[in-house]
Every structure is written in structure tokens, then in C-alpha cells.
Amino acid sequence: MTTRIGIDAGGTLTKVAYWDEKKEMSFQKFPSSDFNAVKDWLETNHSLASICLTGGRAEQLKRYLSSKIEIPYIVEFDATMNGVMYQLKEEVVSSDSAIIANIGTGTSIHIMQDETHSRIGGTGVGGGTLLGLGSALTGISDYKDIIELSKEGKRGSIDILVSDIYQHNKLPIKGSLTASNFGGIALKSEETRNHSDLLAGVQGIIGEVVATLCIQAADAHRVEDVIYIGSTLEENELLQKIIESYTILKQKKPIFLEKHGFSGAIGALLENK
Ligand code: ATP
Ligand code: MG
């Protein structure tokens, strides 16, 4: 069967979007450390597919696929923004201008205004931090295990809140805000902490750093909507909750799309006409 496929080969995960027999968009993902699995899947299921590639590891994947015809490539940021715009339409979310944060291995921050877009910043704090710091602190390296355990965690002994510092004093800002991520480990020495607590603390760092940067970008560019994408949000309700509540607190509108990590792959698929 000849079909069309968009592939986003990222630093951690390779995401695939394609049209199935019922002409519905379908999805697959593979670790980017296993391009053989991508190749096998394509050869078994879609040997005649017309592919469009995007993502930082597209060139390496291309070498694995050893196609006789040249595989087209679309710039990652263009693919991602096209994928975001497609999902906004599909999910009937209207947003003419927004900050977009792609929480992948690292985090890239963009502004979209009147169908044009540009990159305005980023941070090395992202999904790779969740896996890397999470594993350094607990020895647990599986993504699903990390997010499951973190759900039960309590950050009270990990972080220092504004209210911990301003005890019995008039609060200058909301007491429930984090004054210091992981500062509690240094200052609340008598407390016990388990793996769940530590992992919840890591989710806190990621959510709060990313949301803070996005809120500042939204203020600077006078936009209200912040769209959060990237596989780090996949099945990760805790991270979504941290990001959502902080963004709302700062009077911005957080938007999460259903196919968190697939915007780049969708954009590559749509480019593949
Ligand atoms: P980049 O865009 O920075 O090159 P990427 O495209 O590979 O990286 P994403 O796929 O958007 O990034 O997100 C990768 C992150 O998603 C991981 O760091 C991890 O936190 C999370 N993740 C979600 N599902 C998985 C999974 N099955 N295995 C590993 N990580 C996962
Ligand atoms: Mg990516």
C-alpha cells in the first residue's frame, strides 16, 4: 500500500504520523536510540510509503533508511508550528497569537503570530532532565515508572515555599509559591524523603522553569495564550497540573494539545503532499 508518512527524529524519541487505511491520522513512536526498529516497522508496514523527515536526528535516520529516492526534509520549527496549527483547527481551539513551548529533550520556546512564527528562547531544562536527574536521584530510568511514582510524591520536604520563609510575617507574594526548588533538602534536614517525593520535586523544577519562561515571554510579547507541547507531557498529569496552575495564576491561558509529542511528525506529514 502506498501511503504518506511524516517522521520527527528527535533527540530522545522518533515520532511517526501517517494516514491509515481509513484515512485517519495514526501515530507511532520509537526510541531514537533504535533506528533499526523504525526501519523494520517501515519495511513491514509501509514499504512503499512516501516519507517526509524532520527533527535534529533526521540525517542519521535517513542513512538507516537507505532509500533509493531522496527523502525530503522540512525544518523542525516549521514542521512543529504547522503541526500545532493543524491540531488547533482539529480540536477547535482558536488562538491567533501564542507562545509555544516544546518540552522535548530540552525545551524550545516560540512565538506564533498571524501564521508566522519565530524562536524566542529555550532552556536545557526539559524531558531529558526528568529522565536524567530523576535517574541520578533514584536509580529509576524508565519514563513510565518515573511519572507513576512522581504522582504520589509530596514536595513539602523537598522545596521551600515562600510561606516557609515568611513565617509570621506579612507575605509579599503568594505563600504557596516555590521560593527554592530542592532548597528543602538543605534546610529541612530532619525530614524523610522517598523516591516519589524526589521525582515530584524534579517535575516541579521542569514545570516551574518552563512555565516561568513562557509567562515572561507572553508578557513581553503581549500575548495571552501559551501552548505547551512535547512528549514530556505524555500521560504526565502532574507536570501538566504544575504548568497549568502556574500559568493560570499569572493570568495567562495554558493550552495542551491531545497529541502532545507529535506536532513535528504531523507537520512533516502535512508537508508530504
Ligand atoms: P528534541 O526535540 O529536544 O530533539 P525529542 O523530540 O526526542 O527531543 P520529545 O519526544 O518531545 O523530544 O520528548 C522527549 C521526552 O519525552 C523524554 O525526555 C521523556 O521525558 C518523555 N517521554 C515520553 N514518553 C517516553 C518514552 N516512552 N520513553 C522515553 N521518554 C519518554
Ligand atoms: Mg522534538
Side-chain angles (χ1 to χ4, degrees):
M1 186 185 67
T2 308
T3 185
R4 289 199 291 266
I5 293 187
I7 304 180
D8 172 10
T12 309
L13 297 172
T14 293
K15 282 78 60 183
V16 181
Y18 62 100
W19 299 109
D20 67 12
E21 305 86 49
K22 294 186 208 130
K23 309 259 183 287
E24 277 169 21
M25 203 182 275
S26 294
F27 305 92
Q28 280 285 332
K29 65 170 178 274
F30 305 87
S32 294
S33 54
D34 190 6
F35 282 153
N36 265 327
V38 183
K39 186 179 180 209
D40 287 349
W41 182 83
L42 286 169
E43 281 174 359
T44 310
N45 300 288
H46 302 282
S47 58
L48 296 171
S50 127
I51 298 170
C52 181
L53 284 174
T54 190
R57 300 201 62 200
E59 199 51 48
Q60 284 100 315
L61 177 61
K62 207 187 227 178
R63 280 188 227 132
Y64 262 80
L65 300 182
S66 61
S67 166
K68 287 181 196 75
I69 41 168
E70 181 62 16
I71 302 175
Y73 171 84
I74 168 172
V75 175
E76 181 179 353
F77 298 153
D78 294 339
T80 306
M81 295 308 128
N82 289 344
V84 166
M85 283 192 243
Y86 174 84
Q87 288 173 92
L88 287 172
K89 276 195 208 112
E90 285 291 295
E91 296 176 27
V92 206
V93 180
S94 109
S95 181
D96 303 334
S97 49
I99 299 297
I100 299 172
N102 186 1
I103 318 171
T105 310
T107 300
S108 193
I109 300 174
H110 304 252
I111 181 156
M112 175 185 80
Q113 249 161 349
D114 311 320
E115 310 235 330
T116 65
H117 65 86
S118 58
R119 187 177 187 277
I120 52 175
T123 167
V125 174
T129 314
L130 179 58
L131 296 179
L133 192 53
S135 151
L137 291 170
T138 66
I140 299 160
S141 53
D142 179 77
Y143 174 74
K144 289 236 164 87
D145 291 345
I146 286 176
I147 56 169
E148 276 307 310
L149 262 180
S150 69
K151 270 190 212 165
E152 296 145 28
K154 295 190 178 53
R155 292 169 58 193
S157 69
I158 306 290
D159 298 335
I160 300 203
L161 301 182
V162 172
S163 58
D164 290 329
I165 297 178
Y166 277 79
Q167 292 169 13
H168 315 300
N169 289 290
K170 191 172 178 302
L171 290 161
I173 51 172
K174 226 170 169 253
S176 60
L177 290 173
T178 311
S180 174
N181 294 84
F182 274 79
I185 305 243
L187 296 182
K188 298 178 178 175
S189 52
E190 75 286 3
E191 311 228 16
T192 56
R193 310 159 177 98
N194 59 30
H195 283 172
S196 290
D197 302 336
L198 291 165
L199 293 174
V202 177
Q203 295 255 39
I205 293 190
I206 298 161
E208 288 168 12
V209 167
V210 171
T212 300
L213 288 175
C214 290
I215 291 156
Q216 288 173 354
D219 278 335
H221 292 272
R222 297 177 199 288
V223 303
E224 204 188 315
D225 296 349
V226 186
I227 303 172
Y228 295 99
I229 59 168
S231 308
T232 316
L233 298 161
E234 199 77 48
E235 292 176 48
N236 193 349
E237 282 150 41
L238 176 58
L239 184 63
Q240 289 183 44
K241 235 168 42 197
I242 294 165
I243 289 173
E244 182 180 47
S245 62
Y246 196 48
T247 309
I248 291 172
L249 180 81
K250 295 289 181 175
Q251 279 123 36
K252 305 287 178 280
K253 184 176 160 204
I255 297 171
F256 298 96
L257 301 172
E258 267 167 45
K259 291 282 156 208
H260 303 291
F262 287 94
S263 297
I266 293 171
L269 171 63
L270 298 176
E271 186 70 16
N272 194 355
K273 296 191 182 95

